[in-house]
Amino acid sequence: MVGLTGGIGSGKSTVADLLAARGAVVVDADRIAREVVEPGGPAYQPMIDHFGPDIVKPDGTLDRPAIAAKAFASPEAVKALNAITHPAIRGVMAQRIAEHAGTDHVVVVDIPLLAEGGPSAYGLAGVIVVDAPVEVALERLVSQRGIPEEDAKARIAAQVSREERLKLADIVVDNTGPRSHLDPQIDRVWEWIESLQRAVDS
């Protein structure tokens, strides 16, 4: 089991998809984060209780842009969001990981906030960090995801610094350039994962 992390806009999801194509099982904290705030999910009602009924859309689902506008408005709001969602996310992640216990599967635990929570909490054999300069990440968020620039800056500022994240890395994927630059790096990452497997098997 290895960790995969990277700042928002780093292209971490693309790297996760490439690892999945090579046979890894990806447990994606971002996807689970969306699941736990769906109607009936463990974080759904606590989110409404804290951030107010105006974050609920007419169909009963939560309005993600409305949540982001409130949740990233201050450090205190970010802490409140994390206090509601993180325990629920960790619970579902633990269930998904446990499904692969005792197998020879490569499990990639995709955790955007790994630096904030600490890799030791997950019992990881190593950590992959997807890295891109802040200005590159910002441009991607604005041009590819359509996030307003000030909102994108606030989201980046709410995370740990690029330097703090890189301190966790056992191996780094540089995603500054085009998609074509990733394939040889993913080959190198996969060889590294296989070396970890061999060490465990021996």
Side-chain angles (χ1 to χ4, degrees):
M1 187 164 67
V2 297
L4 174 66
T5 195
I8 186 169
S10 66
K12 178 179 53 60
S13 296
T14 300
V15 171
D17 290 344
L18 290 169
L19 291 170
R22 284 162 170 77
V25 174
V26 178
V27 177
D28 186 338
D30 270 343
R31 288 176 187 161
I32 292 170
R34 289 191 284 273
E35 291 175 20
V36 299
V37 297
E38 290 174 354
Y44 176 77
Q45 191 58 49
M47 289 286 288
I48 298 169
D49 293 342
H50 185 84
F51 291 106
D54 56 330
I55 65 169
V56 183
K57 296 194 290 188
D59 65 1
T61 61
L62 298 188
D63 186 331
R64 290 175 65 84
I67 293 169
K70 292 188 174 191
F72 295 102
S74 70
E76 292 73 22
V78 171
K79 287 180 182 177
L81 173 70
N82 293 345
I84 293 168
T85 58
H86 285 187
I89 294 166
R90 281 196 292 266
V92 175
M93 288 184 70
Q95 293 172 5
R96 303 273 168 89
I97 291 167
E99 293 170 3
H100 301 280
T103 73
D104 62 355
H105 297 162
V106 172
V107 179
V108 174
V109 187
D110 182 345
I111 314 173
L113 300 180
L114 184 61
E116 288 85 338
S120 60
Y122 297 93
L124 302 172
V127 174
I128 306 158
V129 172
V130 183
D131 183 53
V134 171
E135 60 272 16
V136 172
L138 179 62
E139 193 277 331
R140 287 173 179 160
L141 294 175
V142 174
S143 66
Q144 296 177 17
R145 298 200 204 175
I147 298 174
E149 185 171 344
E150 288 307 310
D151 186 10
K153 287 179 178 177
R155 295 191 193 197
I156 290 171
Q159 299 184 334
V160 299
S161 70
R162 182 184 178 194
E163 292 74 23
E164 285 296 309
R165 195 178 296 110
L166 285 169
K167 288 179 183 177
L168 299 176
D170 293 294
I171 192 165
V172 176
V173 175
D174 178 2
N175 196 21
T176 304
R179 162 72 175 75
S180 59
H181 289 185
L182 281 177
D183 283 323
Q185 295 190 76
I186 300 305
D187 289 340
R188 179 173 57 88
V189 169
W190 196 251
E191 289 171 4
W192 170 74
I193 290 172
E194 289 179 329
S195 73
L196 294 177
Q197 278 191 306
R198 288 193 295 272
V200 170
D201 291 343
S202 63

